[in-house]
Amino acid sequence: MTQESISNLVKGTIFLFVTALGIVGNIIVFANFVCSFWRVAQKKSIHLILIHLAFANTIILISKGLLRAITAFGLRNFLDDIGCKIVVYLERVAQDLSVCTSSLLTVVQAITISPRGSVCWRFKPKTPWKILPLFLFFWILSSSISINLLHYITSSRKNMSEAAKTNNYCSFQPESQEIKWILLILMAIHSAMFQGVMGGASGYMVFILHKHHQRVLYLQSSHLHKSLPEMRAAQSVLFLMFCFLFFYWTDYIFSFFSNSFLQKNSMILNVQEFLTIGYAFLSPFVLIHREGNLEETKALRKCLFQ
């Protein structure tokens, strides 16, 4: 075997392992919160948001991670133009949904831990069903923004050299470089808007958690040393948002340099490929760790097997 074949085999194996593990993790999160939502009398908006996030992450892992694992094993011409348009479109829509849903998760969690009577508390959804129209809005928005890609995505069968610069099975061929940058800027503006909301809500949560910590230290009461469930949930969401921002902006920086200066650097392209599925892979395990107590495990078993 050549060095390139060995490298592709290792890359494909890693991609397949990470993707499969991420899909399993997201399915567990999806099933866990579906069961929790239907079994608990006091239904929570957070559960619906996490169900939606797990669904979007699963689409990302299937449309991006799984197919990139297949191409790494050498099967690069298995999609025609229609297949490429569908796969890349779903991948892009799922990424936008992940951004929107993560932003909504941060905002709702920030409102949940807000003091009663505060301005933020007034915006707390009275019932979880109130956020369903937001999911519909996210789907319409994400689908509309990404629909222009359908005109420019083609199969790698037509242009292997161009496909090598993107994802090895489909290529992005705009009519001009100006159109390419306009599309990228529009997508960046969409992400920046939601990430701005995410950042503001995260900053507010940090402020609330700091006040809570100071109150615990001041009271020095044994029964307050253990954080409230809402505070522990806020800490988990903050860590989740940190992971999202890390993977998103690291991928964006790598993508910018690879498109501008390092088009032939395979190492940079390989790192970038793993970064694109990093959040979808890691987020379910952050949530599993948060919900990994005995009560949640029992509830999931009862829901699935009874």
Side-chain angles (χ1 to χ4, degrees), residues 70-214:
I70 293 173
T71 57
F73 285 123
L75 186 59
R76 299 186 178 184
N77 296 324
F78 61 97
L79 288 176
D80 57 11
D81 281 352
I82 296 178
C84 272
K85 292 179 187 297
I86 293 174
V87 168
V88 176
Y89 181 70
L90 285 176
E91 172 189 315
R92 186 64 245 182
V93 169
Q95 282 185 312
D96 289 341
L97 285 174
S98 182
V99 175
C100 298
T101 309
S102 297
S103 178
L104 178 63
L105 173 64
T106 314
V107 171
V108 172
Q109 187 62 64
I111 293 174
T112 300
I113 66 172
S114 298
R116 291 182 180 272
S118 65
V119 176
C120 292
W121 183 263
R122 299 174 187 174
F123 294 96
K124 184 177 180 180
K126 295 181 180 179
T127 66
W129 309 113
K130 295 289 186 180
I131 66 171
L132 291 181
L134 288 175
F135 292 158
L136 178 60
F137 170 72
F138 292 159
W139 275 93
I140 295 174
L141 179 63
S142 301
S143 301
S144 301
I145 290 176
S146 303
I147 200 168
N148 49 40
L149 292 175
L150 295 176
H151 181 65
Y152 301 112
I153 297 299
T154 59
S155 172
S156 61
R157 296 175 182 178
K158 293 183 178 181
N159 194 332
M160 288 297 295
S161 61
E162 181 67 20
K165 299 176 185 178
T166 53
N167 55 20
N168 290 330
Y169 54 88
C170 299
S171 58
F172 178 55
Q173 296 179 326
E175 297 174 355
S176 65
Q177 196 70 12
E178 288 77 13
I179 292 179
K180 175 182 177 180
W181 282 107
I182 289 173
L183 294 176
L184 291 175
I185 289 172
L186 288 176
M187 293 178 184
I189 291 174
H190 166 264
S191 297
M193 290 174 57
F194 282 95
Q195 288 183 49
V197 174
M198 186 190 305
S202 297
Y204 179 72
M205 276 198 290
V206 170
F207 174 72
I208 295 296
L209 289 172
H210 176 71
K211 288 183 62 177
H212 172 73
H213 179 68
Q214 293 296 323

Side-chain angles (χ1 to χ4, degrees), residues 215-227:
R215 189 180 304 114
V216 170
L217 292 179
Y218 177 76
L219 293 175
Q220 292 293 311
S221 176
S222 59
H223 69 278
L224 287 176
H225 282 304
K226 185 176 181 180
S227 300

